Amino acid sequence: MTLFDIIFTGSRQALEAAKATVAAAVEKKGSDARVAFPETAYSLPTIYAATGKKIGSLGELRDALSIVESLIVPEQNLEKALNAGLATALSAEIIEACKYAVEEKPYSEPCAGFISDAVIRSLGVPLVTGDIPGVAVVLGEAPSAEEAAKIIKGYQNKGLLVFLVGKIIDQAIEGKVKMGLELRVIPLGYDVTSVIHVVTVAIRAALIFGAVPPGNLEELLKYTKERVPAFVNALGSLSGLVVSAGAGAIALGFPVITDQDVQEVPHYLIVQKDYDKIVPTSLEARGIKIKITEVPIPVGFAAAFEGERVRKED
Amino acid sequence: MENCACNTCDAATKKLYEKAKSERIDTIWDRALAMQPQCGFGEMGLCCTNCSMGPCRIVKISEDGPKAGICGATEDTITSRNFARAVAAGAAAHSDHGRDIALALYHAGDKTRIRNEEKLFKIAGEWGITVEGKDTVQIAREMAERALGEFGKVFGKLQFLQRAPEKRIKLWDELGVAPGAIDREIVEVLHSTHMGCDADYRNIIRQAIRAALSDGWGGSMIGTELSDVLFGTPMPKKVEANLGVLKKECVNIVVHGHDPTLSEAIVLASRDPELLELARKQGAEGINVVGMCCTGNEIAMRQGIPMAGDFFQQELAIVTGAVEAMIVDVQCIMPSLATVAKCYHTKLITTSPKAKIPGAIHIEFNEQKSLEIARRIVKDAVMNFKNRKVEVFIPDDKSEGRIGYSFEAIIKALDRVTNSFAHPSGTVKPLVDAIKSGVLRGAAAIVGCNNHRQPHNTCHVTLAKELLKRDIIVVTTGCGAHACIKAGLMDKDARKYCGKGLATVCELLDIPPVLHMGSCVDISRILVLLSEVAKYMGVDISDLPVAAAAPEWMSEKAQSIGLYAVASGVYVILGVPPAVTGSENVTGYLTKGLESVLGGRFEIENDPVEAAAKIAAHVENRRKRLGI
């Protein structure tokens, strides 16, 4: 199968899953039931930014499925492949929105799920000043907790904001990575669809700080590519769905670095099998240059540790 | 041809054609119109003049006309012989060009005249020339001798064939088409197409293939590679193009023809402070050297000299009234230039003993005294500034583009997207990844000439735009390059014509979507690029999602180029049919049969939109075969 075909297949799977999830939610709550993420003024941020439409109910969410469907056109070219990637992102948002519509509290410790507007606003200044030099999205599973911790701490030490999705969260805990917003390591969720919660961070950054008008997809993608220094590390076996989500990241201008055998795409999809080199490979791929003064001390030293609380048991 | 003789999409050409008309000067379009209708026997290749029993013709349109020549040669024999002779002539033109470059290298004399030592050493390594303990001049001389040997060596095969992918080399050997010495292959075509010799069209075309391959992988490649050694390997730079590059206030010198040894020397001489001072004394602001056709491509690629125009614009350059001297060497120089020049003050100066024109001034050029002669020519031009007769009219049409994409420059551009922690540098890997992933669907070369049978430049430009929107990257040389740069396709802004994939590649590599790879001999650069990509992928050239097109071709050189591309495994679209259509067998062999033998074939398609669709279909077919 060609790389584009894998993406189209994954996007279709995501769409099918979204359809089923919405149908189940409507079944349970009715099509008038309210749909909203907590503490945000941007409704479902991805759909809002892409279409300019705010979604208020499950019925409206069901209607939004046709937008997703229209984005999946299996023609063999990059434009269509990236659109399919965006479709996967929209499907993920729809699935995640259903979770919030159906359940009172779909996410619990250690997972953060949806990130509130307030948090994004608090991250805005350090992102602009370069105090947060980049945003790493690490998803999947590293070969061991040790490797996982090494990669996550590698970013943490350089002051990057790290989001975790999937089994890597457990590996991070096992690897004794200290987590939390103030430590700049945020576990999002175990389902791959929870990666959308970092996508909406980038998208809301464009809406809030970039003043990108909702519905102007082209300008949105330009902003995320040029101004949000994010990248993705996709570790462990890659399903078609993950690959198509990766295409969504590429559409936003974020390179994907993986430890798996896939067809590389210059600049955007890079294979790095040496775990010691994943961090520098990723930083170079996103053009992140870190101004560092190495202080030879036996513990991690970075702005990421500023909010750390030393507990009694530590 | 319709009644409006000048059929072009280029504004400057249109304006100057009108000026020529008003001044009652005949140009190529008028002569083409006067020639109508052209002879159908010749058009179909059914006329043979190879002996004095002829001329013979085969009559196809009626039952009772002759079906064989007086000697008994059939339409198959006659058309294939005519085609083979055209290929041999084309191969001869390129090869003699290559020989002159090799001679120039031999006579280089001192180290300062070899501008690219690195490439010298690289080729030396490839050819097994030891460099230890030798100085640069000595190595250059040894390489030149070896290169000159390629033209007439008694045994063995051409050195540069080794650059091809292994599978291709093997195929050529099996088919018996791997060329030995360049001149030998050309002579053999002339021998076997003599009266009473080879009558088997397949065998005649086989001979032509050997001659063509001795051009692409011999004469042309020697010409390109040794020109790089002598004058530097082209690297990206901005240039201006079209007749608007002539300057009213300056002494304008047009160099036209092919061999860079002359044009490079003219460029050097034009920068001589003494001559510049002389120009000022004559009332000129400076000396403006511009290039035309392939020699124009050579000095544009290496020195950033403006590209004044293509084959069909050569007469029109003089019609501006602003050209003090047009200096020519060999190939594609219309003899009518002498007549046109007479109406103005322009001095037409021929320089090669191989190409004299009645009515022109002949100042013979030779490589040993190149600068001296060039200074004399430039001085003549400067002194001619005061003699301008008519009111000067320079159209304000010019465009800008980024050119200079040698193989080496392309590799350097590709390094921009390698990750230093994950990838090797200096390879074609990023290009292969872009193609394998589908970001780029394929690549196509647009080459060739201008021809009154096709609307001027329109076919080149339309074809290029049609390919760009399908994410097929375009490389170009020769007059195809002139057409593309004039249409703005080598500008950054040309990304607007591209599909998302190609636009992304252009942005990442900081390249235009149409890459100017040089002159017609520089098509050898395309062979090198194809070979490197094929070798990296572990396949043959014929497996790659690539194609070539010569939408407005006219010369015998173009036929040699077309055939060596086919013989190297490339699908080649011709916008004008070669004179073989009188034989269904020969036409069928070239457009279908050859594919099963060589993996490449010709296609005849005069509509550029259709041509693009065919290239896209071919590219997708090859992708499918590769499973990508």
Side-chain angles (χ1 to χ4, degrees):
Chain A
M1 211 160 27
T2 70
L3 179 64
F4 290 167
D5 282 333
I6 297 170
I7 292 168
F8 295 132
T9 308
S11 300
R12 258 189 242 105
Q13 286 166 356
L15 173 64
E16 290 313 312
K19 279 181 180 172
T21 311
V22 172
V26 170
E27 176 96 350
K28 201 166 171 187
K29 296 274 181 179
S31 56
D32 292 335
R34 189 172 164 270
V35 170
F37 286 126
E39 296 166 62
T40 179
Y42 301 92
S43 177
L44 310 191
T46 316
I47 296 175
Y48 180 54
T51 66
K53 274 187 216 149
K54 289 195 173 184
I55 304 280
S57 68
L58 279 174
E60 285 169 26
L61 195 57
R62 188 173 51 200
D63 297 340
L65 287 166
S66 64
I67 302 170
V68 182
E69 196 143 23
S70 70
L71 282 171
I72 307 173
V73 181
E75 279 170 29
Q76 297 290 325
N77 63 59
L78 182 67
E79 187 175 4
K80 299 293 190 288
L82 295 181
N83 283 347
L86 290 173
T88 302
L90 294 177
S91 294
E93 183 160 77
I94 290 169
I95 292 168
E96 289 292 313
C98 286
K99 282 187 191 169
Y100 280 90
V102 172
E103 293 168 57
E104 184 73 22
K105 201 169 175 279
Y107 284 95
S108 57
E109 284 286 312
C111 297
F114 188 82
I115 309 289
S116 71
D117 286 357
V119 170
I120 292 172
R121 287 180 192 278
S122 75
L123 292 171
V125 174
L127 263 169
V128 170
T129 57
D131 184 39
I132 296 177
V135 179
V137 182
V138 186
L139 66 85
E141 187 180 9
S144 71
E146 201 183 314
E147 304 281 13
K150 198 157 59 183
I151 292 164
I152 298 165
K153 284 178 180 167
Y155 293 130
Q156 200 178 23
N157 282 337
K158 291 175 177 60
L160 275 81
L161 185 59
V162 190
F163 290 93
L164 306 177
V165 175
K167 286 195 182 141
I168 191 102
I169 295 172
D170 294 337
Q171 291 181 318
I173 295 165
E174 195 189 329
K176 298 206 164 38
V177 175
K178 289 185 180 168
M179 298 191 283
L181 175 64
E182 62 285 7
L183 295 169
R184 294 188 186 169
V185 177
I186 305 172
L188 289 173
Y190 290 100
D191 294 339
V192 67
T193 52
S194 64
V195 76
I196 195 66
H197 300 311
V198 59
V199 171
T200 73
V201 171
I203 285 172
R204 278 178 285 165
L207 298 173
I208 298 169
F209 307 117
V212 171
N216 191 335
L217 185 60
E218 203 179 321
E219 210 177 301
L220 173 84
L221 298 181
K222 190 168 180 281
Y223 185 91
T224 54
K225 183 175 128 192
E226 288 170 6
R227 307 295 297 273
V228 183
F231 58 86
V232 179
N233 286 169
L235 306 177
S237 69
L238 297 174
S239 66
L241 202 137
V242 171
V243 173
S244 77
I250 291 172
L252 293 164
F254 306 154
V256 178
I257 295 87
T258 178
D259 58 347
Q260 301 296 301
D261 282 314
V262 287
Q263 174 54 54
E264 287 185 276
V265 176
H267 183 79
Y268 280 117
L269 180 53
I270 298 167
V271 175
Q272 178 55 272
K273 294 186 171 232
D274 182 343
Y275 293 91
D276 289 335
K277 287 184 182 164
I278 283 186
V279 171
T281 302
S282 303
L283 296 179
E284 185 180 304
R286 194 61 179 115
I288 297 169
K289 289 182 184 75
I290 312 239
K291 303 164 273 180
I292 31 164
T293 331
E294 291 273 359
V295 186
I297 49 175
V299 291
F301 171 72
F305 297 102
E306 268 170 22
E308 185 180 11
R309 273 169 288 186
V310 182
R311 295 171 200 278
K312 261 187 209 154
E313 54 267 33
D314 289 344
Chain B
M1 288 274 306
E2 282 128 43
N3 274 343
C4 169
C6 169
N7 193 358
T8 180
C9 68
D10 177 62
T13 304
K14 220 172 265 173
K15 290 174 195 167
L16 283 164
Y17 175 75
E18 292 306 324
K19 182 171 191 277
K21 281 255 105 169
S22 71
E23 288 167 4
R24 298 178 170 216
I25 292 163
D26 272 354
T27 58
I28 178 107
W29 292 277
D30 307 300
R31 294 188 299 272
L33 194 61
M35 196 57 68
Q36 301 312 316
Q38 286 172 267
C39 171
F41 296 106
E43 258 176 5
M44 296 168 79
L46 289 170
C47 172
C48 177
T49 58
N50 288 10
C51 79
S52 76
M53 294 194 293
C56 293
R57 70 200 184 285
I58 307 290
V59 174
K60 299 273 286 182
I61 49 168
S62 68
E63 283 295 312
D64 51 353
K67 300 297 174 220
I70 294 170
C71 70
T74 62
E75 60 187 46
D76 296 346
T77 308
I78 291 173
T79 51
S80 58
R81 278 181 183 172
N82 288 342
F83 177 68
R85 283 191 166 208
V87 169
H94 280 149
S95 298
D96 228 33
H97 172 165
R99 187 194 330 261
D100 284 348
I101 303 291
L103 276 170
L105 184 65
Y106 184 83
H107 291 301
D110 75 280
K111 203 179 152 178
T112 58
R113 295 184 60 187
I114 293 159
R115 293 195 212 144
N116 191 348
E117 273 185 304
E118 197 187 323
K119 190 144 186 177
L120 177 79
F121 294 146
K122 190 186 151 267
I123 301 168
E126 219 179 306
W127 287 8
I129 296 169
T130 49
V131 295
E132 285 80 23
K134 292 179 195 161
D135 67 23
T136 303
V137 174
Q138 232 177 323
I139 300 163
R141 187 162 276 222
E142 205 174 312
M143 182 176 299
E145 270 182 59
R146 285 279 286 279
L148 290 166
E150 293 291 279
F151 292 86
K153 64 184 179 189
V154 186
F155 301 110
K157 288 181 290 178
L158 288 184
Q159 306 244 27
F160 277 138
L161 292 181
Q162 290 310 314
R163 289 184 167 184
E166 220 168 286
K167 284 180 186 168
R168 189 59 25 184
I169 297 173
K170 213 172 142 234
L171 180 68
W172 287 335
D173 283 339
E174 281 165 13
L175 297 170
V177 295
I182 298 158
D183 294 350
R184 170 88 214 102
E185 303 301 348
I186 294 162
V187 166
E188 200 156 300
V189 171
L190 295 178
H191 176 189
S192 50
T193 57
H194 185 275
M195 183 269 145
C197 207
D198 201 343
D200 177 347
Y201 72 87
R202 286 191 191 82
N203 202 47
I204 291 167
I205 288 170
R206 196 185 65 91
Q207 306 269 20
I209 286 170
R210 286 175 66 109
L213 286 173
S214 82
D215 171 356
W217 300 85
S220 284
M221 206 171 276
I222 288 169
T224 295
E225 296 295 288
L226 302 192
S227 289
D228 282 357
V229 170
L230 275 170
F231 306 117
T233 301
M235 283 295 152
K237 55 182 63 67
K238 262 192 185 164
V239 300
E240 289 184 328
N242 213 346
L243 288 164
V245 300
L246 292 168
K247 290 182 184 156
K248 194 174 180 178
E249 306 75 18
C250 289
V251 173
N252 288 302
I253 298 175
V254 179
V255 280
H256 172 26
H258 282 78
D259 191 333
T261 48
L262 170 70
S263 50
E264 285 278 347
I266 297 286
V267 171
L268 272 181
S270 74
R271 291 169 184 164
D272 185 317
E274 253 175 61
L275 290 170
L276 284 168
E277 185 50 38
L278 187 64
R280 274 189 282 275
K281 277 190 190 143
Q282 301 302 307
E285 280 180 11
I287 302 171
N288 182 36
V289 176
V290 298
M292 195 140 238
C293 279
C294 278
T295 210
N297 284 324
E298 299 267 7
I299 45 177
M301 291 281 286
R302 295 197 180 88
Q303 310 288 349
I305 298 293
M307 294 163 62
D310 56 28
F311 175 63
F312 267 20
Q313 291 179 298
Q314 52 185 284
E315 294 166 308
L316 301 182
I318 298 176
V319 172
T320 59
V323 174
E324 274 59 54
M326 181 177 275
I327 303 151
V328 302
D329 50 26
V330 290
Q331 299 171 24
C332 306
I333 298 147
M334 296 184 195
S336 61
L337 288 177
T339 320
V340 179
K342 259 194 205 111
C343 304
Y344 302 89
H345 74 303
T346 306
K347 285 188 175 182
L348 177 68
I349 301 169
T350 56
T351 57
S352 168
K354 297 170 200 173
K356 294 190 180 184
I357 297 174
I361 302 159
H362 188 75
I363 302 175
E364 197 147 308
F365 182 78
N366 82 59
E367 288 80 10
Q368 278 141 298
K369 291 185 197 156
S370 59
L371 201 55
E372 208 175 299
I373 300 166
R375 282 172 48 92
R376 193 187 139 198
I377 295 173
V378 172
K379 194 176 168 190
D380 273 7
V382 168
M383 297 313 287
N384 198 23
F385 181 73
K386 284 197 164 157
N387 300 331
R388 289 185 182 180
K389 281 184 198 164
V390 296
E391 205 190 324
V392 166
F393 169 71
I394 300 169
D396 54 5
D397 305 276
K398 60 178 175 184
S399 43
E400 208 177 51
R402 209 169 160 74
I403 71 163
Y405 291 96
S406 58
F407 171 73
E408 291 83 346
I410 290 174
I411 294 290
K412 217 171 153 199
L414 291 172
D415 276 346
R416 286 175 66 103
V417 286
T418 53
N419 188 301
S420 61
F421 296 96
H423 306 131
S425 63
T427 74
V428 293
K429 181 182 188 301
L431 175 60
V432 170
D433 282 340
I435 287 177
K436 279 174 120 179
S437 64
V439 171
L440 289 180
R441 303 311 294 169
I446 299 180
V447 302
C449 330
N450 303 134
N451 189 320
H452 67 88
R453 291 169 196 274
Q454 292 280 70
H456 176 234
N457 286 350
T458 311
C459 299
H460 287 295
V461 174
T462 309
L463 175 59
K465 285 183 183 171
E466 288 289 319
L467 294 171
L468 300 186
K469 73 180 184 200
R470 293 174 166 94
D471 286 337
I472 294 172
I473 193 166
V474 172
V475 297
T476 181
T477 64
C479 287
H482 280 278
C484 289
I485 190 168
K486 281 189 286 179
L489 299 181
M490 294 175 188
D491 192 74
K492 259 190 185 166
D493 199 34
R495 280 176 208 164
K496 68 179 177 222
Y497 298 113
C498 302
K500 175 90 178 168
L502 179 53
T504 304
V505 168
C506 289
E507 190 193 326
L508 289 173
L509 300 182
D510 192 26
I511 56 169
V514 176
L515 299 178
H516 188 345
M517 290 187 76
S519 64
C520 51
V521 292
D522 292 341
I523 294 175
S524 59
R525 298 191 200 276
I526 304 177
L527 293 179
V528 171
L529 180 60
L530 289 175
S531 297
E532 289 305 309
V533 169
K535 282 190 254 182
Y536 190 88
M537 291 173 72
V539 299
D540 194 358
I541 294 172
S542 54
D543 298 319
L544 300 176
V546 300
E552 304 176 27
W553 76 272
M554 63 88 199
S555 69
E556 290 166 318
K557 289 184 292 171
Q559 296 183 68
S560 173
I561 293 165
L563 192 59
Y564 76 60
V566 165
S568 303
V570 179
Y571 171 71
V572 177
I573 295 194
L574 300 176
V576 176
V580 297
T581 53
S583 159
E584 281 85 15
N585 282 334
V586 172
T587 308
Y589 191 55
L590 292 175
T591 58
K592 292 186 194 79
L594 278 183
E595 189 164 37
S596 57
V597 185
L598 288 159
R601 69 177 177 97
F602 284 107
E603 176 98 74
I604 295 160
E605 176 54 69
N606 69 347
D607 178 348
V609 177
E610 284 296 311
K614 285 178 176 171
I615 286 174
H618 173 79
V619 159
E620 292 303 325
N621 166 287
R622 286 296 185 269
R623 296 188 66 89
K624 201 165 270 176
R625 257 180 34 179
L626 283 167
I628 57 174

mmCIF file of all heavy atoms in Angstrom, chain B residues 577-598:
data_model
loop_
_atom_site.group_PDB
_atom_site.id
_atom_site.type_symbol
_atom_site.label_atom_id
_atom_site.label_comp_id
_atom_site.label_asym_id
_atom_site.label_seq_id
_atom_site.Cartn_x
_atom_site.Cartn_y
_atom_site.Cartn_z
ATOM 1 N N PRO B 577 6.151 15.145 -35.556
ATOM 2 C CA PRO B 577 6.582 13.794 -35.927
ATOM 3 C C PRO B 577 7.898 13.826 -36.699
ATOM 4 O O PRO B 577 8.090 14.712 -37.534
ATOM 5 C CB PRO B 577 5.442 13.288 -36.818
ATOM 6 C CG PRO B 577 4.720 14.503 -37.272
ATOM 7 C CD PRO B 577 4.936 15.572 -36.246
ATOM 8 N N PRO B 578 8.788 12.883 -36.441
ATOM 9 C CA PRO B 578 9.973 12.794 -37.284
ATOM 10 C C PRO B 578 9.548 12.269 -38.664
ATOM 11 O O PRO B 578 8.442 11.736 -38.814
ATOM 12 C CB PRO B 578 10.869 11.795 -36.559
ATOM 13 C CG PRO B 578 9.973 11.031 -35.666
ATOM 14 C CD PRO B 578 8.763 11.873 -35.399
ATOM 15 N N ALA B 579 10.424 12.416 -39.646
ATOM 16 C CA ALA B 579 10.049 12.050 -41.015
ATOM 17 C C ALA B 579 10.116 10.534 -41.211
ATOM 18 O O ALA B 579 10.925 10.016 -41.975
ATOM 19 C CB ALA B 579 10.960 12.769 -42.004
ATOM 20 N N VAL B 580 9.281 9.829 -40.476
ATOM 21 C CA VAL B 580 9.222 8.366 -40.605
ATOM 22 C C VAL B 580 7.789 7.890 -40.818
ATOM 23 O O VAL B 580 7.537 6.697 -40.950
ATOM 24 C CB VAL B 580 9.789 7.644 -39.354
ATOM 25 C CG1 VAL B 580 11.259 7.960 -39.167
ATOM 26 C CG2 VAL B 580 8.996 8.008 -38.101
ATOM 27 N N THR B 581 6.856 8.834 -40.832
ATOM 28 C CA THR B 581 5.449 8.425 -40.822
ATOM 29 C C THR B 581 5.025 7.733 -42.120
ATOM 30 O O THR B 581 3.948 7.150 -42.185
ATOM 31 C CB THR B 581 4.530 9.639 -40.573
ATOM 32 O OG1 THR B 581 4.870 10.648 -41.529
ATOM 33 C CG2 THR B 581 4.706 10.189 -39.179
ATOM 34 N N GLY B 582 5.894 7.768 -43.149
ATOM 35 C CA GLY B 582 5.588 7.048 -44.385
ATOM 36 C C GLY B 582 5.655 5.539 -44.209
ATOM 37 O O GLY B 582 5.147 4.784 -45.046
ATOM 38 N N SER B 583 6.258 5.079 -43.152
ATOM 39 C CA SER B 583 6.337 3.640 -42.897
ATOM 40 C C SER B 583 5.633 3.300 -41.586
ATOM 41 O O SER B 583 6.046 3.763 -40.517
ATOM 42 C CB SER B 583 7.800 3.193 -42.817
ATOM 43 O OG SER B 583 7.888 1.964 -42.110
ATOM 44 N N GLU B 584 4.589 2.505 -41.691
ATOM 45 C CA GLU B 584 3.881 2.081 -40.464
ATOM 46 C C GLU B 584 4.804 1.237 -39.597
ATOM 47 O O GLU B 584 4.775 1.317 -38.374
ATOM 48 C CB GLU B 584 2.626 1.265 -40.802
ATOM 49 C CG GLU B 584 1.428 2.081 -41.239
ATOM 50 C CD GLU B 584 1.445 2.404 -42.723
ATOM 51 O OE1 GLU B 584 2.222 1.759 -43.483
ATOM 52 O OE2 GLU B 584 0.708 3.315 -43.139
ATOM 53 N N ASN B 585 5.635 0.427 -40.261
ATOM 54 C CA ASN B 585 6.528 -0.454 -39.504
ATOM 55 C C ASN B 585 7.537 0.344 -38.677
ATOM 56 O O ASN B 585 7.731 0.081 -37.489
ATOM 57 C CB ASN B 585 7.288 -1.385 -40.449
ATOM 58 C CG ASN B 585 6.409 -2.525 -40.915
ATOM 59 O OD1 ASN B 585 5.459 -2.910 -40.230
ATOM 60 N ND2 ASN B 585 6.709 -3.064 -42.090
ATOM 61 N N VAL B 586 8.184 1.321 -39.356
ATOM 62 C CA VAL B 586 9.210 2.100 -38.644
ATOM 63 C C VAL B 586 8.548 2.942 -37.553
ATOM 64 O O VAL B 586 9.025 3.003 -36.417
ATOM 65 C CB VAL B 586 10.013 2.977 -39.628
ATOM 66 C CG1 VAL B 586 10.937 3.925 -38.881
ATOM 67 C CG2 VAL B 586 10.819 2.090 -40.569
ATOM 68 N N THR B 587 7.435 3.578 -37.888
ATOM 69 C CA THR B 587 6.729 4.388 -36.890
ATOM 70 C C THR B 587 6.309 3.510 -35.706
ATOM 71 O O THR B 587 6.505 3.881 -34.548
ATOM 72 C CB THR B 587 5.485 5.061 -37.518
ATOM 73 O OG1 THR B 587 5.899 5.744 -38.680
ATOM 74 C CG2 THR B 587 4.838 6.036 -36.557
ATOM 75 N N GLY B 588 5.770 2.339 -36.033
ATOM 76 C CA GLY B 588 5.338 1.422 -34.979
ATOM 77 C C GLY B 588 6.512 0.952 -34.123
ATOM 78 O O GLY B 588 6.393 0.824 -32.899
ATOM 79 N N TYR B 589 7.643 0.711 -34.776
ATOM 80 C CA TYR B 589 8.823 0.250 -34.034
ATOM 81 C C TYR B 589 9.302 1.331 -33.060
ATOM 82 O O TYR B 589 9.588 1.048 -31.900
ATOM 83 C CB TYR B 589 9.940 -0.101 -35.029
ATOM 84 C CG TYR B 589 11.103 -0.831 -34.416
ATOM 85 C CD1 TYR B 589 10.922 -2.012 -33.697
ATOM 86 C CD2 TYR B 589 12.411 -0.346 -34.562
ATOM 87 C CE1 TYR B 589 12.000 -2.685 -33.135
ATOM 88 C CE2 TYR B 589 13.492 -1.018 -34.014
ATOM 89 C CZ TYR B 589 13.285 -2.179 -33.296
ATOM 90 O OH TYR B 589 14.355 -2.845 -32.743
ATOM 91 N N LEU B 590 9.337 2.581 -33.540
ATOM 92 C CA LEU B 590 9.835 3.666 -32.682
ATOM 93 C C LEU B 590 8.846 4.010 -31.567
ATOM 94 O O LEU B 590 9.247 4.380 -30.467
ATOM 95 C CB LEU B 590 10.106 4.921 -33.526
ATOM 96 C CG LEU B 590 11.267 4.825 -34.525
ATOM 97 C CD1 LEU B 590 11.341 6.096 -35.376
ATOM 98 C CD2 LEU B 590 12.599 4.615 -33.806
ATOM 99 N N THR B 591 7.552 3.891 -31.850
ATOM 100 C CA THR B 591 6.560 4.333 -30.861
ATOM 101 C C THR B 591 5.997 3.194 -30.013
ATOM 102 O O THR B 591 5.353 3.456 -29.003
ATOM 103 C CB THR B 591 5.375 5.054 -31.540
ATOM 104 O OG1 THR B 591 4.781 4.164 -32.483
ATOM 105 C CG2 THR B 591 5.818 6.318 -32.243
ATOM 106 N N LYS B 592 6.237 1.950 -30.438
ATOM 107 C CA LYS B 592 5.735 0.831 -29.628
ATOM 108 C C LYS B 592 6.804 -0.236 -29.430
ATOM 109 O O LYS B 592 7.177 -0.563 -28.317
ATOM 110 C CB LYS B 592 4.506 0.203 -30.300
ATOM 111 C CG LYS B 592 3.292 1.101 -30.302
ATOM 112 C CD LYS B 592 2.064 0.357 -30.854
ATOM 113 C CE LYS B 592 0.943 1.340 -31.170
ATOM 114 N NZ LYS B 592 1.150 2.038 -32.462
ATOM 115 N N GLY B 593 7.273 -0.782 -30.562
ATOM 116 C CA GLY B 593 8.174 -1.932 -30.519
ATOM 117 C C GLY B 593 9.402 -1.754 -29.645
ATOM 118 O O GLY B 593 9.805 -2.671 -28.925
ATOM 119 N N LEU B 594 9.969 -0.542 -29.676
ATOM 120 C CA LEU B 594 11.209 -0.327 -28.924
ATOM 121 C C LEU B 594 11.025 -0.526 -27.426
ATOM 122 O O LEU B 594 11.967 -0.878 -26.722
ATOM 123 C CB LEU B 594 11.753 1.089 -29.180
ATOM 124 C CG LEU B 594 12.572 1.297 -30.455
ATOM 125 C CD1 LEU B 594 13.088 2.729 -30.492
ATOM 126 C CD2 LEU B 594 13.756 0.324 -30.526
ATOM 127 N N GLU B 595 9.810 -0.314 -26.941
ATOM 128 C CA GLU B 595 9.614 -0.398 -25.491
ATOM 129 C C GLU B 595 9.958 -1.788 -24.948
ATOM 130 O O GLU B 595 10.575 -1.916 -23.891
ATOM 131 C CB GLU B 595 8.198 -0.016 -25.092
ATOM 132 C CG GLU B 595 8.081 0.094 -23.570
ATOM 133 C CD GLU B 595 6.850 0.820 -23.108
ATOM 134 O OE1 GLU B 595 5.792 0.653 -23.745
ATOM 135 O OE2 GLU B 595 6.937 1.540 -22.099
ATOM 136 N N SER B 596 9.571 -2.821 -25.704
ATOM 137 C CA SER B 596 9.865 -4.168 -25.204
ATOM 138 C C SER B 596 11.363 -4.479 -25.309
ATOM 139 O O SER B 596 11.868 -5.374 -24.638
ATOM 140 C CB SER B 596 9.049 -5.202 -25.986
ATOM 141 O OG SER B 596 9.342 -5.083 -27.358
ATOM 142 N N VAL B 597 12.067 -3.742 -26.144
ATOM 143 C CA VAL B 597 13.505 -3.964 -26.284
ATOM 144 C C VAL B 597 14.291 -3.128 -25.274
ATOM 145 O O VAL B 597 15.187 -3.620 -24.592
ATOM 146 C CB VAL B 597 13.958 -3.598 -27.725
ATOM 147 C CG1 VAL B 597 15.421 -3.932 -27.927
ATOM 148 C CG2 VAL B 597 13.093 -4.297 -28.766
ATOM 149 N N LEU B 598 13.927 -1.848 -25.173
ATOM 150 C CA LEU B 598 14.751 -0.911 -24.404
ATOM 151 C C LEU B 598 14.059 -0.315 -23.181
ATOM 152 O O LEU B 598 14.679 0.352 -22.371
ATOM 153 C CB LEU B 598 15.170 0.254 -25.314
ATOM 154 C CG LEU B 598 16.202 -0.084 -26.385
ATOM 155 C CD1 LEU B 598 16.150 0.947 -27.498
ATOM 156 C CD2 LEU B 598 17.599 -0.145 -25.786
#
